[in-house]
Amino acid sequence: MYNEIVDKITEYINKARSLGNTDDQIKQTLLNNGWQASIINPYFTSLPPVVNNKVNSKKHFLTFFIIAIICLIVSGGIFAGVMKYKNDSKIKSNAANKQSPSSINIEQSTQKVPNDKSELLAFIQNKNSSSSANSSESEVKFYDLNKRTFLPSDPQLPSLINSMYDLGQWSPNGIYLPILTIRASGEPEPFFLFDSISKISKKIYTFQDNLDSKYGGFSTTFWLNNRWLNDSHLVFYREDLSKPSPKEFIIDTNGTISEQAREKGYVLQNTSLTVTENVSSGPATLKSLLIDGVRFPGSVKGRVVGLIGNDLISLESPYLPNMQDFSQDPELIKRMNDTKSESEIKKIVDEAMKPKGNWILHFYDKKSGLETKIHEIKNDGWIVKNVQVRPVKKTILIALQEKATPPNSIRFLEIDPLNMTYRKIGQTSEMTSFPGLSLSNIDDYFNVSSDGNWLISYDGISTGTDSGISSWHLNSGEKNVICERSCSLIRAFNPEALTP
């Protein structure tokens, strides 16, 4: 479907140019007929080659017909009537003559855009198997946030005994969710794509150790090193610390795998931003930043968060003490040795691990690159764990962890960027552990749905659980418990979030 759409848009643009229409005229025609600017802009930033206009004599009538249609569209003619005639009459005529339809279809794709579909949440639930207390089941769950209900079980994704599922990130359009099965070494590992429109998964590939060893000796490396290239192509590479791979692998939504030279750096992107960070040594440093395909002209302090209107937002973090600092402080070590109370020891650790300063939000004009304002985050929490832009409303959401040692809570604040006022959204129950230890979901302390209405987070719902999941309605404050025990890998589609 993706390739067909690309080919038809390219064909339409080329033929319209051959008639003497300007790019502005062509772009406006596409916009008038329902195409989003984010979809069509790339076709005009890097111009595709003009289609060869030579045709044989049998196609002269069809070519004349194409030109007539384009002229009517560009001049604001009766597009709907022409399209109906073309679809109902011309295609049938061509099929009868065993000729391929040559007319140009610039109708918008019938696939729904993210905001036109149910707001889906995906996660993994692990529990003891009914067959044995020593066995565990891994199950993929899908939850409709707006309807407050679970989707029926996907027949393609049965419960796995003593194996587990792993989730990638949603595709940029929010339609596909990658799902990989992780099994014992040597066993085949099926790879699925869940379709958020049909609500059904499709197996597109099965990794075999004996055949696909070049793709990775450990399945988890697939998810630690992947990104969506576009709506239909996922890039991944094998990470072997002893032998770094110079190649990346691209798998499309049909399961076809190809290779390319590995891109240096770590790429994060959303619909407007492309951020490349150099992570070859030490902390990640910003390597390049593109906004709608144009290089940002300024320099950025801290980590890029997202875009709000004409402002690029970044978060500058203070120095965070680590365990090495702690172990090299003789006074702290003495206090620890002299203290017998566990609660007192936790207080000492919490105090020693506090950040050395505050977090600062920077605002830059996206066109000039100049900094327009800064804001020091005022909070009664212990540490800023994550910051995201709220879709639609375009506010800033912040997760704050109250202290270093568990059990601890996460509280959520919302900042209005116009006047920098704060609003408390809610707070999790105390958590004894957080399932974010793998590199694939570090910093995923909360997710936001694409309609901007729901914040979803891990939650210590009942005492002794590994992790639960709750959702907060960002307008009403309503809280829903979604998963109570052993829940991990929350995946909600947020077009404003920067994802690898």
Side-chain angles (χ1 to χ4, degrees):
M1 173 65 74
Y2 175 83
N3 290 331
E4 292 175 1
I5 294 172
V6 169
D7 291 341
K8 288 179 180 179
I9 297 176
T10 304
E11 182 182 4
Y12 170 74
I13 293 173
N14 287 336
K15 292 191 183 244
R17 283 178 178 147
S18 71
L19 292 173
N21 296 299
T22 66
D23 283 359
D24 288 340
Q25 290 173 322
I26 301 169
K27 187 184 297 186
Q28 190 59 51
T29 300
L30 290 166
L31 291 172
N32 292 342
N33 285 279
W35 287 90
Q36 297 178 9
S38 61
I39 295 176
I40 65 174
N41 281 341
Y43 292 88
F44 297 94
T45 56
S46 179
L47 301 182
V50 177
V51 175
N52 191 341
N53 291 322
K54 293 183 180 180
V55 295
N56 59 45
S57 58
K58 293 183 179 180
K59 294 184 179 179
H60 284 169
F61 173 77
L62 289 177
T63 304
F64 178 80
F65 183 71
I66 291 167
I67 295 172
I69 291 176
I70 296 173
C71 291
L72 286 172
I73 293 171
V74 174
S75 62
I78 52 172
F79 175 76
V82 173
M83 292 305 298
K84 179 173 178 56
Y85 173 78
K86 175 174 70 81
N87 287 328
D88 295 345
S89 302
K90 194 62 185 178
I91 292 178
K92 293 180 181 179
S93 173
N94 284 333
N97 294 326
K98 297 183 179 180
Q99 294 178 355
S100 299
S102 300
S103 51
I104 301 168
N105 180 6
I106 62 167
E107 288 181 310
Q108 181 61 286
S109 169
T110 57
Q111 290 184 318
K112 299 178 181 180
V113 296
N115 288 336
D116 191 30
K117 67 177 181 63
S118 298
E119 297 298 328
L120 296 183
L121 173 69
F123 63 92
I124 302 294
Q125 184 167 26
N126 298 292
K127 55 187 178 181
N128 288 335
S129 171
S130 57
S131 60
S132 170
N134 296 322
S135 299
S136 62
E137 286 186 16
S138 177
E139 191 173 6
V140 182
K141 294 278 194 176
F142 295 96
Y143 185 82
D144 189 317
L145 290 162
N146 289 338
K147 295 180 180 178
R148 281 75 152 178
T149 184
F150 284 94
L151 269 61
S153 297
D154 188 336
Q156 299 296 319
L157 301 172
S159 296
L160 296 178
I161 307 297
N162 292 333
S163 296
M164 62 185 296
Y165 286 110
D166 205 350
L167 304 181
Q169 298 286 346
W170 288 99
S171 59
N173 58 8
I175 293 178
Y176 297 115
L177 178 74
I179 303 172
L180 184 71
T181 53
I182 298 179
R183 296 179 176 173
S185 178
E187 294 186 15
E189 298 178 335
F191 175 53
F192 299 87
L193 283 182
F194 174 78
D195 188 317
S196 63
I197 297 175
S198 68
K199 310 296 191 295
I200 296 294
S201 299
K202 177 184 177 182
K203 182 169 68 174
I204 64 169
Y205 197 85
T206 299
F207 290 95
Q208 306 277 359
D209 268 6
N210 58 337
L211 298 175
D212 300 328
S213 59
K214 63 181 178 180
Y215 298 141
F218 303 94
S219 350
T220 50
T221 65
F222 185 98
W223 298 126
L224 300 185
N225 308 284
N226 80 88
R227 69 185 189 278
W228 282 93
L229 192 62
N230 50 44
D231 290 332
S232 60
H233 293 79
L234 184 71
V235 178
F236 67 98
Y237 62 90
R238 177 181 181 177
E239 184 62 79
D240 184 342
L241 296 180
S242 62
K243 298 178 181 179
S245 172
K247 294 181 180 178
E248 291 181 321
F249 306 99
I250 303 174
I251 185 167
D252 66 18
T253 51
N254 294 316
T256 302
I257 296 182
S258 56
E259 299 180 7
Q260 68 176 17
R262 178 174 166 181
E263 182 173 319
K264 296 181 180 179
Y266 188 64
V267 179
L268 301 98
Q269 57 192 350
N270 66 10
T271 54
S272 301
L273 284 171
T274 301
V275 181
T276 304
E277 295 180 342
N278 189 343
V279 293
S280 57
S281 63
T285 56
L286 184 63
K287 188 176 180 181
S288 65
L289 171 60
L290 303 178
I291 302 177
D292 291 327
V294 178
R295 184 174 290 274
F296 178 68
S299 59
V300 177
K301 296 179 181 178
R303 175 173 64 89
V304 175
V305 174
L307 286 170
I308 296 181
N310 291 320
D311 289 324
L312 174 75
I313 316 296
S314 72
L315 178 69
E316 184 180 8
S317 302
Y319 177 74
L320 299 178
N322 53 48
M323 291 307 296
Q324 184 176 358
D325 298 330
F326 184 84
S327 63
Q328 293 176 351
D329 190 324
E331 183 179 343
L332 281 175
I333 294 175
K334 184 177 185 304
R335 289 176 60 193
M336 293 281 286
N337 291 334
D338 294 343
T339 303
K340 304 300 181 182
S341 167
E342 183 178 342
S343 61
E344 187 64 28
I345 290 175
K346 285 187 175 182
K347 287 182 180 179
I348 293 173
V349 173
D350 285 338
E351 184 65 29
M353 299 294 285
K354 278 188 175 180
K356 306 303 181 183
N358 289 319
W359 278 261
I360 298 175
L361 289 170
H362 295 267
F363 294 75
Y364 303 90
D365 182 86
K366 69 178 184 180
K367 293 183 178 179
S368 68
L370 298 177
E371 188 174 72
T372 57
K373 63 180 175 181
I374 62 173
H375 176 76
E376 190 172 0
I377 295 177
K378 306 293 184 182
N379 66 79
D380 56 353
W382 183 80
I383 183 173
V384 174
K385 301 302 294 186
N386 197 11
V387 176
Q388 292 189 32
V389 173
R390 179 183 176 184
V392 184
K393 295 292 184 179
K394 298 293 188 180
T395 56
I396 300 171
L397 300 172
I398 304 175
L400 303 162
Q401 183 175 303
E402 62 178 351
K403 58 182 179 178
T405 57
N408 46 33
S409 301
I410 301 288
R411 61 176 61 87
F412 304 103
L413 301 178
E414 182 175 26
I415 299 180
D416 185 336
L418 295 179
N419 50 28
M420 304 310 294
T421 54
Y422 287 72
R423 179 176 76 93
K424 184 174 179 179
I425 297 166
Q427 182 168 320
T428 69
S429 303
E430 288 192 334
M431 292 182 284
T432 56
S433 64
F434 177 78
L437 300 180
S438 72
L439 294 178
S440 60
N441 63 345
I442 265 185
D443 288 336
D444 281 345
Y445 281 79
F446 68 92
N447 282 237
V448 189
S449 61
S450 61
D451 61 3
N453 288 334
W454 292 98
L455 181 149
I456 309 98
S457 172
Y458 295 107
D459 194 3
I461 295 165
S462 59
T463 303
T465 62
D466 294 328
S467 60
I469 295 175
S470 293
S471 64
W472 286 262
H473 197 281
L474 288 166
N475 296 329
S476 68
E478 170 195 351
K479 179 180 179 179
N480 289 323
V481 174
I482 295 173
C483 180
E484 294 190 19
R485 190 178 297 273
S486 299
C487 324
S488 61
L489 293 176
I490 301 172
R491 294 291 183 261
F493 174 59
N494 175 6
E496 298 298 332
L498 285 166
T499 56

